[in-house]
Amino acid sequence: MTTTDDNTKARPRRYPLLLLVALVAIAVDLATKEWALATFRPGENVDVIGSFLQFTLVFNTGAAFSLGTGYTWVFTIIASVVVLGIGYIGWRVRSLWWGVTLGLMMGGAAGNLVDRFFRDPAPLHGAVVDFIRLPNWPVFNIADSCVVVGACLVVALTFKGLNLDGTMVTDEDKAEAKTENPDADGEEKKGE
């Protein structure tokens, strides 16, 4: 599926925007974590909006939902690959929305990566600082929120048909893709 044309080349690269969004996400995440560390004792619950929104300081050595607490180094490597991968893919971004989306995901992953590299108990094994609690949901932080919002935007932009280069997937592109891969629409191959 080819959507590159002169119009695409005329669009500016959004890499500076992607990096700016990522840096803002990292800065806000780190500032709020430092605030939480200075303000709350571990395990203390502070009602913000009744019991709907609370602040409680916890340290997470695992992944989302505190899964895999013994494998912190694995999550450190995965997060590093994600940040580097977005940095590489981001160079092709010419869409404002994709720049913001990938910037949020990169900033969120990097924010928690800073914790894993530099917080106790040791480099690559550091605990992520979480402090936002909602009912029936694990405690999280701003970096986690950035990753989740970014992932939701990826789904929305993909369904909308917006490419990284800022062009829209057209019906002709979809027909061309089906012609190139006739089994993509779920039809059985002949002779099976």
Side-chain angles (χ1 to χ4, degrees), residues 49-125:
I49 303 175
S51 62
F52 175 74
L53 173 63
Q54 297 177 326
F55 290 147
T56 184
L57 181 61
V58 298
F59 300 95
N60 181 4
T61 58
F65 307 105
S66 295
L67 297 174
T69 54
Y71 298 96
T72 304
W73 63 273
V74 173
F75 303 121
T76 303
I77 292 170
I78 291 169
S80 298
V81 169
V82 166
V83 169
L84 293 173
I86 291 172
Y88 177 75
I89 291 169
W91 188 249
R92 298 186 336 207
V93 173
R94 293 181 184 270
S95 159
L96 177 79
W97 280 105
W98 277 108
V100 170
T101 298
L102 294 177
L104 283 171
M105 294 186 77
M106 179 187 242
N112 284 337
L113 194 57
V114 168
D115 285 1
R116 295 202 187 278
F117 272 112
F118 299 110
R119 296 205 189 270
D120 290 334
L124 299 179
H125 298 279

Side-chain angles (χ1 to χ4, degrees), residues 123-155:
L124 299 179
H125 298 279
V128 173
V129 175
D130 290 329
F131 64 95
I132 304 169
R133 172 176 274 166
L134 296 173
N136 305 312
W137 197 256
V139 182
F140 60 98
N141 58 41
I142 299 298
D144 298 332
S145 299
C146 289
V147 170
V148 169
V149 169
C152 291
L153 286 171
V154 165
V155 171

